[in-house]
Amino acid sequence: MTLAQAYCKQFGKVSFPFIIYDSNGNETYYENGDGYCYKVEYNSQDKETYFENSKGFWYKVEYDSNGNETYYENSKGYWFKKEYNSQGNVTYFVDNEGIWSKTEYNSQGNVTHYENSTGSWSKTEYDSNGNETYYENSAGTIRGSKKCSCNGKVVEIDGKKYKLKELK
């Protein structure tokens, strides 16, 4: 017996689509009158955490404390995981098919390094205003000029080691 049928038995006639909402206005149940229905669950941040329909399909989703999606899994066997940095940018992705990617960002949130499971990669440098100054990727594309700084490098002269400091 569907929820709409149970409701009808208890209270009389119902109209379709039969929809139930939670106290936050999130749709938690839907039924169309032809036997198709689904239910949805939410977390305290009103993010969808579980879905299941009358055809047997379901998925679940997990989030970190910042509301970023960290895990997804469904009834067809597909799943993925994501990791994030403190700025909320995706730093790592992996799924059940072996697809993965890693991404690094600078303090302004610009992508500085990217690589994935296909062997593709890219490196990007930026100036202090966030403008791209150099880009290089695994396909051979090169744009701009690479920063060349000896700041912090150690050199040896006449048996003595010196740490270089860049003057700005």
Side-chain angles (χ1 to χ4, degrees), residues 16 18 47:
F16 292 96
F18 181 75
K47 299 245 184 202

Side-chain angles (χ1 to χ4, degrees), residues 147-166:
K147 288 182 192 174
C148 184
S149 174
C150 293
N151 189 43
K153 297 211 178 190
V154 176
V155 295
E156 187 172 329
I157 301 172
D158 294 331
K160 292 185 179 181
K161 293 185 179 183
Y162 299 90
K163 187 172 186 177
L164 300 177
K165 180 178 180 184
E166 183 175 0

Side-chain angles (χ1 to χ4, degrees), residues 2 28 38-39 52 58 70 100 106 110 115 156 168:
T2 68
T28 59
Y38 60 80
K39 71 176 187 173
E52 181 178 0
W58 60 265
T70 58
W100 60 266
N106 64 15
N110 297 312
E115 63 182 286
E156 187 172 329
K168 297 184 181 192

Side-chain angles (χ1 to χ4, degrees), residues 110-130:
N110 297 312
V111 175
T112 58
H113 182 260
Y114 173 82
E115 63 182 286
N116 67 32
S117 54
T118 67
S120 296
W121 58 266
S122 66
K123 296 178 183 180
T124 312
E125 295 178 1
Y126 302 87
D127 64 19
S128 59
N129 295 321

Side-chain angles (χ1 to χ4, degrees), residues 3-4 17-32 36-44 46-54 59:
L3 192 55
F18 181 75
I19 303 172
I20 298 174
Y21 299 91
D22 67 15
S23 60
N24 293 330
N26 298 310
E27 186 177 294
T28 59
Y29 184 82
Y30 171 91
E31 190 173 328
N32 69 1
Y36 176 77
C37 60
Y38 60 80
K39 71 176 187 173
V40 186
E41 297 173 6
Y42 300 86
N43 66 14
S44 60
D46 290 328
K47 299 245 184 202
E48 198 172 299
T49 58
Y50 185 77
F51 171 93
E52 181 178 0
N53 69 26
S54 56
Y59 61 83

